[in-house]
Amino acid sequence: MSELGFLSAARYGKDLVRVARVVRDGDKHYVAEYTVRVLLEGDIEKSYTKADNSCVVATDTMKNTVYILAKTSPHVLNPPLFALHLGLHFVNKYAHIHKAFIDIIALKWSRIEVNGKPHKWSFVRDGDEKGVISVAVDATSGPENAKASVQVGLKDLLVLKTSGSAFEDFYRDENTTLAPVKDRIFSTSVTLDYTVPLPPNIPLSIDNLGAIDKELDFAKIATESKNDVLEVFATDESASVQATLYNTLQKILKTCPAISEGSMSLPNKHYIPVNLSPFGLDNNLGYDGGAEVFHPVADPSGLITATVTRK
Ligand SMILES: O=c1[nH]c(=O)c2[nH]c(=O)[nH]c2[nH]1
């Protein structure tokens, strides 16, 4: 068969590797639960073009590696570091693998408090929110010169405010029916991704991951950026989802000097005030807001996205 095309890109791996790890410090336990995706690039063309599997690190091997490092990595409780450890492992172990892309979704297990005291080994899923980590390790110039991009964030953080949100003075034309409103419900499911450049003074290696975290403190960045999301959402006198998104990312850049860029994706989950006038009831449908009964609509939703980059 004559070939009409050439292989211009190739990347393969294992997706949806679910792993939970318990770390025991005496009778105080810690737990992490992840869904991991591993994708690799390198000298793998012949597996596609020549049906030659000799270069194929089996995706089953990648799955095993996730379990093995979940047991052996000192960084297993720190998702960005664990992702870096996995990525560096693959480019170090296999000379023909030059890039590793590790994505982790971290499920939420919060320690249960009993009578105000944190319990030793009991946890609760107290929200849909998940941590999201996306690491790309590039060892094209050799594993000793590996570079990595690290994006961290969260998704599915559901928030709602019943006041402090307006939407007015928007563009109007003959297709516009939406009435301006001074006071409305604002609800969204926050997706936040931020870029954390690795310190240029510390060579990227498995052995240096501890030192890198000492400088950056990924756990602190995660806590502070989430606090900023919640605080700005609650306190911003929102002129629009767009303006609140922008204010949030500005706040995060201020709080977290290690972050170079942040992106957010915010669906505008509309709550439509119900017209109760046929029943002789006033639901405050006017410009000033103050409605009490709403129809939460699943779709369509707005979808507002933006990236703010440090100057
Ligand atoms: O905050 C908002 N931004 C929009 O772009 C928009 N469009 C719309 O219909 N409602 C809203 N609300």
Side-chain angles (χ1 to χ4, degrees):
M1 189 180 66
S2 75
E3 296 184 337
L4 298 179
F6 66 96
L7 189 74
S8 50
R11 187 183 288 184
Y12 80 107
K14 200 69 137 188
D15 195 10
L16 302 174
V17 182
R18 294 195 54 176
V19 60
R21 167 69 146 97
V22 177
V23 173
R24 295 181 171 81
D25 179 9
D27 64 359
K28 182 164 187 196
H29 296 183
Y30 299 81
V31 67
E33 183 170 342
Y34 301 143
T35 302
V36 183
R37 173 191 288 179
V38 177
L39 293 173
L40 303 181
E41 280 185 24
D43 301 327
I44 56 174
E45 291 88 348
K46 62 187 178 187
S47 65
Y48 293 83
T49 60
K50 307 268 188 261
D52 178 344
N53 287 340
S54 59
C55 60
V56 178
V57 177
T59 69
D60 193 64
T61 305
M62 299 179 201
K63 174 201 71 183
N64 291 342
T65 304
V66 172
Y67 297 145
I68 292 163
L69 286 198
K71 166 72 176 161
T72 60
S73 174
H75 308 296
V76 66
L77 295 176
N78 185 322
L81 285 198
F82 184 56
L84 281 166
H85 193 166
L86 273 166
L88 288 166
H89 166 87
F90 287 111
V91 298
N92 277 288
K93 174 108 180 142
Y94 305 106
H96 68 293
I97 296 300
H98 306 312
K99 292 185 180 178
F101 302 85
I102 311 294
D103 290 281
I104 296 180
I105 298 169
L107 300 185
K108 194 163 194 277
W109 286 121
S110 304
R111 198 174 288 281
I112 292 177
E113 290 208 350
V114 179
N115 297 327
K117 271 177 52 188
H119 195 264
K120 289 177 286 191
W121 54 62
S122 299
F123 303 85
V124 57
R125 171 71 39 80
D126 56 345
D128 293 333
E129 167 207 349
K130 294 150 198 88
V132 291
I133 293 88
S134 193
V135 161
V137 175
D138 182 345
T140 316
S141 309
E144 64 288 350
N145 300 310
K147 304 265 171 285
S149 72
V150 181
Q151 283 206 307
V152 194
L154 54 83
K155 67 175 184 178
D156 300 335
L157 178 66
L158 190 57
V159 289
L160 178 148
K161 63 194 287 185
T162 55
S163 189
S165 166
F167 189 58
E168 303 179 80
D169 303 323
F170 47 89
Y171 190 94
R172 302 200 74 88
D173 62 20
E174 65 279 13
N175 296 334
T176 306
T177 56
L178 185 70
V181 60
K182 206 171 77 169
D183 192 18
R184 63 174 182 174
I185 285 184
F186 176 7
S187 178
T188 187
S189 175
V190 178
T191 300
L192 165 71
D193 290 290
Y194 49 83
T195 303
V196 184
L198 295 180
N201 53 321
I202 307 177
L204 178 58
S205 70
I206 292 170
D207 286 345
N208 283 345
L209 289 176
I212 288 170
D213 195 48
K214 219 168 170 197
E215 185 134 333
L216 294 176
D217 199 341
F218 281 109
K220 185 165 167 230
I221 295 172
T223 304
E224 290 185 343
S225 57
K226 180 186 163 184
N227 286 343
D228 284 345
V229 166
L230 296 177
E231 184 186 316
V232 175
F233 179 78
T235 59
D236 189 42
E237 277 300 324
S238 176
S240 65
V241 177
Q242 287 89 331
T244 300
L245 183 160
Y246 184 74
N247 289 342
T248 306
L249 290 175
Q250 291 290 356
K251 177 81 163 48
I252 288 172
L253 288 183
K254 189 166 176 210
T255 309
C256 305
I259 293 177
S260 64
E261 183 171 281
S263 298
M264 292 179 86
S265 173
L266 300 180
N268 189 3
K269 294 175 159 289
H270 302 301
Y271 283 69
I272 315 289
V274 175
N275 180 7
L276 295 174
S277 61
F279 317 106
L281 296 169
D282 182 5
N283 195 30
N284 297 327
L285 300 186
Y287 164 75
D288 285 336
E292 292 171 306
V293 179
F294 297 82
H295 175 205
V297 290
D299 51 71
S301 75
L303 183 60
I304 314 299
T305 71
T307 299
V308 175
T309 305
R310 195 181 289 281
K311 285 184 193 165

